[in-house]
Amino acid sequence: MDADDLLYQDDFEDDTDGFSQDGEAVTTEEGGQLYEHFRFTADRNQAPLRIDKFLYDRLTNTSRNRIQLAADAGYLHVNNEVVKSNYKVKPEDVVTVMMSRPRRVFEIVPEDIPLNIVYEDDALLVVNKPSGMVVHPGHGNWQGTLLNALAWYMREDPLFDVEDPRLGLVHRIDKDTSGLLLIAKRPETKTFLCRQFFNKTTKRQYVAMVWGVPKETEGRIEGNIGRDPRDRQRMTVFPDGEQGKTAVTHYRIAEKFGYVSLLEFRLETGRTHQIRVHSASIGHPVFNDEKYGGNQILKGLQSSNYKQFIHNCFEVCPRQALHAKTLGFVHPSTLQEMFFEAPLPDDMAGLVEKWRNYCGNG
């Protein structure tokens, strides 16, 4: 089995708990070298779970059989020790996938793409990402990403290398989600900030328009999130506690529009597609979210006028109506709490205004 047998994930957006791609090499007892391709740190409350299931839930384009073959080849390590596929991952275990050849690498080419910088100092950047911009280069998106833009912006800083995993993005958001992102300029900064995300002490609030109106004004959604076995590009909520990763989302109704509502979400954890999949799981998909069914008319009238109105809404906001509005954290140098807010972008603001006018007109 070689490195190409374990295919690579392209979608770890907004999943910050212990994911890295350091590519560090180690020497085996036989004298050969293995190279780190993936690293995951299990949660503090991780229930005992076979490592093949643990990795299957986190690697997009692979199968449990391939992961088991990797274990048989001695490529799966826990806390720097080789383990078999029946090893049960425990809280705070460090799981690495080590392969016999270096990780496929690509160059992040600097591109002169404007960045909306909300805040900057010697340690970090806070950027307001527009919808449609991919955060990290990957399959089908090798150019035009936020990291390409960052490579250009930081090109004259001799201490910043966009290829260095110890620098750069502290967390991610989806391509079609807009809003605030935190970027570390120095290794010690990223370590300090990542610890806050891991310990769930950051303050993040999202705003989304969803189909329908929840019965309760405020609520808590809890359910393990993992890759959907039927569609590896989607996430799903698992009813039992064995599969997926613990995920908790809090919501509050900000405004009602009859057939849709504007919700404020607060993340207790940061999982891939967490708000989108959690909201859909309680019957309120994010408006115009194609992946989770929000791009269909799910509430409202059967009239042609209403259908045309929804079509116009989809054109005004041609992506999932989700925005990372606020971001709070403790600064690594000053130890002062910092808080930032990004107003709704034009497409979501226009969508909200259309619904206000619709409701106002009866």
Side-chain angles (χ1 to χ4, degrees):
M1 177 179 180
D2 62 26
D4 288 332
D5 287 328
L6 268 180
L7 301 180
Y8 292 89
Q9 64 220 64
D10 298 313
D11 191 5
F12 261 88
E13 298 152 345
D14 214 15
D15 189 346
T16 58
D17 294 338
F19 171 67
S20 69
Q21 299 175 332
D22 295 335
E24 183 178 342
V26 299
T27 302
T28 65
E29 292 181 0
E30 293 76 19
Q33 276 196 326
L34 294 179
Y35 299 85
E36 181 179 307
H37 283 230
F38 297 103
R39 173 188 291 260
F40 303 96
T41 302
D43 288 343
R44 292 174 179 174
N45 59 348
Q46 173 70 52
L49 179 66
R50 282 177 57 113
I51 192 170
D52 51 353
K53 289 185 178 179
F54 180 86
L55 287 173
Y56 178 73
D57 216 27
R58 289 158 175 78
L59 297 172
T60 309
N61 298 310
T62 192
S63 64
R64 281 187 65 183
N65 182 58
R66 285 182 174 177
I67 293 171
Q68 289 164 356
L69 289 173
D72 293 342
Y75 291 163
L76 303 190
H77 293 214
V78 175
N79 305 326
N80 298 318
E81 298 289 338
V82 176
V83 298
K84 296 300 183 183
S85 58
N86 62 353
Y87 175 87
K88 291 196 174 181
V89 177
K90 299 182 291 295
E92 299 188 348
D93 272 351
V94 178
V95 178
T96 51
V97 180
M98 309 293 294
M99 309 296 281
S100 58
R101 65 175 67 171
R103 183 180 170 86
R104 289 197 299 267
V105 296
F106 57 88
E107 181 182 2
I108 299 176
V109 179
E111 296 181 59
D112 188 5
I113 302 170
L115 287 173
N116 183 357
I117 297 173
V118 176
Y119 174 83
E120 180 178 11
D121 60 26
D122 292 340
L124 55 87
L125 286 162
V126 177
V127 172
N128 186 6
K129 185 190 83 70
S131 65
M133 174 182 274
V134 174
V135 170
H136 193 287
H139 179 68
N141 295 288
W142 301 106
Q143 297 177 329
T145 73
L146 187 142
L147 282 191
N148 294 111
L150 188 63
W152 175 272
Y153 182 78
M154 298 292 294
R155 66 192 184 281
E156 295 182 359
D157 186 340
L159 299 179
F160 188 88
D161 179 4
V162 75
E163 306 275 4
D164 189 338
R166 300 173 304 160
L167 308 172
L169 293 167
V170 179
H171 62 124
R172 307 184 189 187
I173 56 178
D174 301 334
K175 171 186 175 183
D176 289 326
T177 298
S178 55
L180 297 174
L181 278 170
L182 186 55
I183 296 163
K185 289 184 176 182
R186 303 291 180 257
E188 60 274 15
T189 300
K190 187 168 185 180
T191 299
F192 187 92
L193 295 172
C194 282
R195 187 176 298 119
Q196 292 182 59
F197 277 85
F198 183 79
N199 291 331
K200 304 174 179 61
T201 59
T202 58
K203 296 178 181 178
R204 290 183 286 168
Q205 186 185 84
Y206 289 68
V207 177
M209 180 171 284
V210 305
W211 281 103
V213 179
K215 294 180 180 179
E216 304 294 332
T217 302
E218 298 183 3
R220 182 178 187 271
I221 311 169
E222 181 173 4
N224 282 21
I225 291 178
R227 294 283 166 186
D228 188 334
R230 296 168 297 180
D231 182 352
R232 301 290 289 159
Q233 298 304 313
R234 284 168 45 98
M235 307 302 287
T236 191
V237 174
F238 291 96
D240 56 50
E242 185 173 340
Q243 290 180 276
K245 298 173 75 175
T246 302
V248 178
T249 306
H250 301 266
Y251 72 85
R252 184 183 75 85
I253 299 175
E255 197 166 351
K256 302 176 184 179
F257 302 108
Y259 304 126
V260 300
S261 54
L262 196 65
L263 301 188
E264 294 175 347
F265 289 95
R266 180 172 61 84
L267 293 177
E268 195 171 306
T269 55
R271 309 305 184 199
T272 304
H273 299 176
Q274 178 171 321
I275 289 173
R276 298 164 65 190
V277 70
H278 261 177
S279 194
S281 74
I282 62 169
H284 300 287
V286 173
F287 191 84
N288 208 11
D289 186 350
E290 180 179 2
K291 193 175 290 288
Y292 296 100
N295 62 334
Q296 307 294 322
I297 299 178
L298 301 179
K299 302 284 183 180
L301 310 175
Q302 297 297 318
S303 69
S304 58
N305 286 343
Y306 179 75
K307 292 177 181 178
Q308 183 60 50
F309 168 74
I310 297 299
H311 175 76
N312 293 341
C313 287
F314 287 159
E315 288 190 337
V316 167
C317 187
R319 48 103 175 189
Q320 67 238 17
L322 178 60
H323 176 64
K325 181 182 179 182
T326 66
L327 177 62
F329 56 90
V330 174
H331 193 280
S333 302
T334 67
L335 301 183
Q336 297 296 309
E337 187 168 19
M338 307 191 75
F339 188 81
F340 300 93
E341 183 170 337
L344 287 180
D346 290 344
D347 57 354
M348 277 190 66
L351 178 64
V352 170
E353 192 60 29
K354 280 190 73 68
W355 275 99
R356 283 181 182 148
N357 292 335
Y358 179 82
C359 292
N361 293 328

